[in-house]
Amino acid sequence: MDYIKINGGNPLYGSLKVQGSKNAVLPTLAATILNRGTTVLHNCPNLSDVRVTIEILKFLGCKIKRESDTVIIDAKDITNNYIPHDLMNKMRSSIIFMGAIIARTGEAAMSFPGGCELGPRPIDLHLKALKTLGVDIKESHGYIKCRLEQMVDNNVHLDFPSVGATENIMLFASLSEGKTTIYNAAREPEIEDLQCFLNEMGAKINGAGSSTIEIEGVKSFHDCTHIVIPDRIAASTYLCGAVAAGGEIELESVCPEHFSAVTSILSECGAKIETGDNSAYIKAPEIINKIDIIRTLPYPGFPTDAQSIMMSVLALANGTSIIKENIFEQRFKTAGELAKMGADISVDGKVAVIKGVKNLTGSTVYACDLRSGAALAVAALAANGTSKIFNTHFIDRGYESLHSDFKKLGADIERIYQ
Ligand code: UD1
């Protein structure tokens, strides 16, 4: 089994270009099937989730070319309007194909997305919204069959600002005859990027970034080229790495506004941070200040995706910090792995109490999910001694090469293939 080996204790120095955003590129790739033509995407990260999404596109009938970080999708001929179970099972976010396939072909069939390492992640909001918009949905034996009855002008009010549900509705409603308004829409930067991409393709959407999104359906799209936004969670990972391990680093090709909830906590921790339009500089503090409480929230609140990574930083703070996880409770599983490295963390439901310790110790640990893997790497960079991080396949879902990036910054880190 592959693992990442880290000899901790080296502070991080240098600069790093940050990859394109995983959570932006996945819905954008799904959206390309709306155009009966060719789409060119730049800054497309080479991740396992992207590779699965490309497999789905190929299954649907698209021809794909990849040249470095550019992916060219020819969606002239869509020959299938269902996604087989083995592909659905590989990645939960395959559900964002639902709205796009119905919009393109009038019908779609797929299984429920596979069980997820973050616990049950329902899709009721996706289904309820599509039903509201005139899609007949039949569920049986784990399969979902969707057929567009009659697209009607409608308003969708989301009970929770779900990122995936907002994306699904945008994809479905953009290629339609009606006008759709989404209330209580997710406001994440990835939603804005999706609006930007769809509009470049000829859609008429406005409001992304606010909680009301208006979509005037169009009959067809045209070819376009799009540059995917930088990955705000990857950027947050490197910044947290520098604060935990010490040192000073600069990130290039980032959009600091997108991760200001994270930099504002890191600056409370005592880090010195300077941001430019596309760059972020951080200098670690001598002593990491505790944080009274962090609550994960939909954007622009503190992102759940950065929660476990921040937990690794706070494990080394000069006092007790509290994290309340409001989005995915299962994300606290990392606490048990950090405890193997000497962290003092107790979890009760949605709340984790982190009593800072002076040092962490290298250990053999297992990533519980994608961000858990990143969190363990951050802790291991700061720890005394050697750590081995297993379950690297989780890390590959969201980072092109986490170990190479930290190595560029001076970490003693390597990936062992066996
Ligand atoms: C997306 C991101 C993920 C991030 C999450 C929250 C992608 C590929 N993934 O996931 O990295 O952690 O946003 O920022 O972009 N919910 C329901 N019913 C639904 C849908 C969601 O109850 O139909 C609940 C979920 O269980 C969860 C919360 O809503 O508690 C947030 O989920 P959502 O915003 O939909 O997250 P994802 O789109 O799955």
Side-chain angles (χ1 to χ4, degrees):
M1 232 194 327
D2 283 13
Y3 63 92
I4 293 176
K5 184 176 162 196
I6 300 177
N7 292 316
N10 284 7
L12 304 183
Y13 289 100
S15 65
L16 191 70
K17 179 184 175 297
V18 173
Q19 70 187 42
S21 161
K22 167 180 96 70
N23 288 351
V25 77
L26 300 180
T28 301
L29 281 166
T32 61
I33 67 162
L34 296 172
N35 174 30
R36 292 169 191 269
T38 303
T39 307
V40 179
L41 295 181
H42 296 300
N43 203 28
C44 204
N46 191 2
L47 312 167
S48 62
D49 273 11
V50 169
R51 292 190 287 274
V52 173
T53 306
I54 287 176
E55 270 184 68
I56 295 176
L57 286 169
K58 284 183 178 165
F59 179 83
L60 295 175
C62 298
K63 295 182 187 69
I64 314 276
K65 264 196 235 155
R66 176 158 203 147
E67 289 157 13
S68 175
D69 74 348
T70 297
V71 177
I72 303 163
I73 304 103
D74 172 354
K76 229 167 281 154
D77 302 311
I78 293 295
T79 45
N80 280 317
N81 60 6
Y82 69 96
I83 303 178
H85 181 67
D86 59 327
L87 284 176
M88 278 307 282
N89 231 7
K90 280 189 183 162
M91 188 182 66
R92 181 193 140 82
S93 47
S94 45
I95 193 68
I96 24 176
F97 274 94
M98 183 180 266
I101 298 177
I102 306 169
R104 173 77 190 254
T105 71
E107 288 183 345
M110 56 191 68
S111 55
F112 277 85
C116 169
E117 66 277 8
L118 296 181
R121 288 171 79 177
I123 55 164
D124 55 313
L125 299 172
H126 301 237
L127 300 183
K128 191 173 152 194
L130 290 170
K131 280 180 189 164
T132 306
L133 295 173
V135 179
D136 176 58
I137 299 183
K138 290 200 168 59
E139 300 166 44
S140 91
H141 303 289
Y143 265 85
I144 316 165
K145 282 191 175 167
C146 311
R147 198 159 59 84
L148 178 57
E149 296 276 89
Q150 197 190 355
M151 177 69 195
V152 279
D153 285 16
N154 223 322
N155 299 325
V156 179
H157 196 113
L158 290 174
D159 298 334
F160 181 88
S162 154
V163 176
T166 303
E167 290 165 347
N168 236 330
I169 304 164
M170 288 169 77
L171 297 191
F172 172 71
S174 59
L175 185 66
S176 70
E177 294 188 353
K179 183 174 171 189
T180 303
T181 305
I182 313 174
Y183 295 101
N184 200 25
R187 298 165 58 192
E188 270 68 2
E190 294 77 21
I191 303 282
E192 275 189 81
D193 195 43
L194 184 61
Q195 168 178 288
C196 174
F197 169 66
L198 288 165
N199 285 347
E200 281 161 357
M201 227 168 41
K204 292 185 180 159
I205 307 177
N206 68 71
S210 78
S211 34
T212 305
I213 300 178
E214 291 174 330
I215 306 154
E216 205 179 304
V218 297
K219 288 210 167 88
S220 64
F221 288 120
H222 51 72
D223 294 355
C224 78
T225 295
H226 179 72
I227 304 171
V228 177
I229 55 170
D231 196 308
R232 63 193 166 104
I233 305 301
S236 305
T237 305
Y238 304 123
L239 296 177
C240 287
V243 173
E248 53 186 312
I249 64 166
E250 176 144 16
L251 301 181
E252 299 157 13
S253 306
V254 289
C255 185
E257 194 191 324
H258 292 171
F259 49 86
S260 62
V262 174
T263 44
S264 109
I265 295 288
L266 290 175
S267 100
E268 269 188 67
C269 284
K272 183 180 165 208
I273 297 170
E274 284 164 18
T275 56
D277 288 345
N278 304 106
S279 63
Y281 160 87
I282 192 160
K283 183 167 190 231
E286 290 294 318
I287 293 167
I288 300 171
N289 298 327
K290 70 172 172 76
I291 300 295
D292 289 340
I293 183 158
I294 298 176
R295 296 178 182 85
T296 62
L297 288 169
Y299 190 85
F302 190 89
T304 173
D305 282 352
Q307 180 264 105
S308 27
I309 305 163
M310 188 61 78
M311 183 181 267
S312 294
V313 174
L314 297 177
L316 288 158
N318 68 345
T320 300
S321 310
I322 291 174
I323 296 180
K324 182 154 185 260
E325 172 56 66
N326 291 310
I327 314 289
F328 295 116
E329 256 178 62
Q330 304 276 344
R331 278 213 153 117
F332 280 152
K333 282 196 282 187
T334 310
E337 296 303 303
L338 289 173
K340 292 182 191 166
M341 302 174 83
D344 182 349
I345 304 171
S346 47
V347 172
D348 186 0
K350 292 181 171 186
V351 175
V353 178
I354 304 133
K355 290 187 186 154
V357 294
K358 283 221 160 65
N359 297 299
L360 293 173
T361 315
S363 182
T364 294
V365 287
Y366 293 82
C368 316
D369 59 62
L370 159 58
R371 304 305 171 187
S372 162
L376 295 173
V378 164
L381 291 171
N384 294 332
T386 303
S387 295
K388 291 179 180 179
I389 303 171
F390 285 89
N391 286 345
T392 48
H393 63 280
F394 284 133
I395 299 174
D396 297 338
R397 288 190 42 215
Y399 297 86
E400 282 192 331
S401 184
L402 189 70
H403 64 285
S404 314
D405 284 345
F406 277 130
K407 202 178 184 74
K408 278 182 207 148
L409 296 172
D412 184 352
I413 181 170
E414 59 182 321
R415 177 129 173 191
I416 311 290
Y417 296 92
Q418 53 177 31

